[in-house]
């Protein structure tokens, strides 16, 4: 049986997304009755947090920018400490359709991490240039490494089941691209199963993407470096070195 | 050797040691970071006072130009200290990240508790 929506925490990393976050939170709560929604805002200079809170989301604000990886780890920790069974990462810019969340949750029965893949046939999401190449190379590597066909390893739409959730609450990487690439390596090494499901992507509902052409050009190189480091890094396990004491519920 | 050069060497080495000692005294430098600088300062002072030491060491190691030994040793020390600093920076960053994440969760919790208590007051 899939994880109930009431046991699911939607985590939305949000950096300066005041234009979209309100509508995305509202849509999520409407589409997914009973779900909890946590917006993690780390150093937005606009009204992202207020708007998200007004729309009905829980809001965690970090004192400075942690990147998507740091924001997600806040989400995983919150989920672990409050007994949620699944975490689904959804972008706060409106690119992900909350209606696809149940599809992801359904797959958590047989997998620990489910990626909503943007290029797997559904929708017409397109990326070009070095970013596209980087994504292709990464997907090929990670497919071979994990033994599962993965076509979109940098997707920000993914569901995490109970086992991977505990792992990620401790070890979710914060390095650039670590949240997408290294997290899959860590999960696979810890014995978690990874699966993907095709999803349609929508255009950004407003605001601007956090990357630009220059950043995209650097992306390929950094992605490969990130992958190499992830592969040579020491394996993490769920039980090992639990640094922080569990907060009282 | 020219007496001015001789004096200059001693002055420079002593200055390094005095600066390090003073920073340690004012707690602006922790002992574990000062070790390298104290060692380097002592070696520099010893060589400045007794230049023969450097020549002897060079002969012993087969280094033809003694000053090259100085360069080699200095670069090696700086290199190791740099690596040590990078490693410490990494661990400081990761601890800061932990603290920041913790702060975010605590803030959320405070907010939840505040709401709960204010709604409790109202009822
Ligand atoms: N908390 C947080 N969220 C971020 C950060 N950078 C990007 N995001 C969020 O991550 C999501 C994806 O970012 P986006 O720029 O749209 O990247 P793309 O979807 O991969 O093109 C959006 O919801 C952003 O608001 C960050 O540094 N911190
Ligand atoms: Mg986006």
């Amino acid at each position: 049986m899939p994880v109930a929506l009431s046991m699911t925490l939607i985590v939305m990393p949000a950096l300066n997304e005041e234009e979209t976050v309100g509508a995305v939170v509202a849509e999520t709560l409407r589409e997914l009755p009973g779900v909890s929604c946590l917006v993690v805002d780390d150093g937005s200079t606009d009204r992202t947090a207020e708007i998200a809170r007004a729309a009905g989301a829980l809001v965690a604000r970090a004192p400075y920018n942690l990147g998507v990886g740091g924001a997600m780890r806040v989400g995983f920790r919150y989920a672990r400490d409050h007994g949620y069974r699944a975490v689904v990462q959804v972008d706060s810019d409106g690119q992900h359709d909350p209606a696809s969340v149940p599809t992801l949750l359904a797959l958590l029965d047989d997998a620990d991490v489910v990626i909503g893949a943007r290029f797997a046939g559904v929708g017409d999401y397109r990326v070009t240039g070095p970013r596209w190449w980087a994504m292709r190379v990464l997907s090929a590597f990670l497919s071979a490494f994990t033994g599962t066909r993965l076509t979109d390893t940098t997707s920000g739409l993914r569901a995490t089941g109970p086992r991977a959730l505990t792992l990620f609450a401790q070890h979710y990487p914060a390095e650039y691209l670590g949240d997408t690439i290294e997290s899959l390596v860590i999960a696979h090494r810890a014995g978690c199963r990874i699966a993907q499901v095709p999803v349609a992507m929508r255009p950004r509902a407003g605001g601007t993407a956090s990357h630009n052409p220059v950043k995209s050009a650097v992306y390929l190189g950094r992605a490969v470096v990130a992958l190499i480091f992830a592969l040579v890094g020491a394996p993490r396990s769920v039980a090992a070195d639990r640094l922080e004491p569990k907060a009282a519920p | 050797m020219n007496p001015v050069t001789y004096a200059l060497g001693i002055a420079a080495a002593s200055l390094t040691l005095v600066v390090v000692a003073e920073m340690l005294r004012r707690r602006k430098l922790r002992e574990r970071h000062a070790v390298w600088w104290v060692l380097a300062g002592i070696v520099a002072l010893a060589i400045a006072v007794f230049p023969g030491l450097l020549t002897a060491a060079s002969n012993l190691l087969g280094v033809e130009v003694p000053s090259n030994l100085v360069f080699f040793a200095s670069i090696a020390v700086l290199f190791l200290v740099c690596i040590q600093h990078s490693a410490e920076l990494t661990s400081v960053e990761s601890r800061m990240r932990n603290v920041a994440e913790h702060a975010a969760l605590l803030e959320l919790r405070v907010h939840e508790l505040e709401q709960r208590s204010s709604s409790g007051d109202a009822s």
Side-chain angles (χ1 to χ4, degrees), chain B residues 2-18:
Chain B
N2 173 332
V4 178
T5 324
Y6 186 72
L8 197 67
I10 296 179
S14 314
L15 186 70
T16 314
L17 280 172
V18 168

Side-chain angles (χ1 to χ4, degrees), chain B:
Chain B
M1 197 192 318
N2 173 332
V4 178
T5 324
Y6 186 72
L8 197 67
I10 296 179
S14 314
L15 186 70
T16 314
L17 280 172
V18 168
V19 168
V20 173
E22 184 58 19
M23 286 182 78
L24 272 171
R25 200 180 62 81
R26 293 192 191 173
R27 305 254 172 269
K28 294 214 166 172
L29 196 61
R30 279 175 63 186
E31 297 79 356
R32 62 205 216 89
H33 298 297
V35 171
W36 293 109
W37 305 131
V38 172
L39 280 180
I42 290 172
V43 171
L45 186 63
I47 288 173
V49 178
F50 309 108
L53 282 177
L54 177 63
T55 329
S58 305
N59 290 339
L60 197 71
L61 295 170
V63 179
E64 282 184 23
V65 186
S67 59
N68 278 350
L69 182 61
V70 174
F71 292 133
F72 173 75
S74 317
I75 292 170
V77 167
L78 291 178
F79 188 78
L80 291 174
V81 170
C82 271
I83 290 180
Q84 192 204 359
H85 285 177
S86 302
E88 299 229 349
L89 196 60
T90 305
S91 88
V92 167
E93 275 172 359
S94 115
R95 277 191 246 166
M96 262 186 52
R97 184 165 89 98
N98 257 308
V99 171
E101 291 175 9
H102 206 70
L105 289 170
L106 286 179
E107 204 214 48
L108 173 56
R109 196 144 164 247
V110 167
H111 188 83
E112 282 176 349
L113 290 173
E114 274 175 356
Q115 278 205 323
R116 207 176 300 168
S117 71
S118 68
S119 66
D121 288 347
S123 62

Side-chain angles (χ1 to χ4, degrees), chain A residues 12-17 20 39-44 48 60 64-72 89-96 118 125 127 131 135 154-156 179 201 204 208-211 219:
Chain A
M12 294 185 188
L15 185 66
N16 295 328
E17 299 282 11
T20 54
V39 170
V40 186
D41 168 16
D42 48 345
S44 289
T48 299
Y64 63 93
N65 189 256
L66 300 168
V68 176
M72 283 312 298
Q89 175 183 354
V90 175
D91 281 0
S92 51
D93 58 6
Q95 281 185 292
H96 299 149
R118 297 162 287 183
Y125 180 69
V127 171
R131 227 172 131 84
M135 288 171 165
T154 54
S155 170
D179 57 309
M201 279 278 276
R204 242 176 185 279
T208 48
S210 55
H211 49 81
Y219 189 93

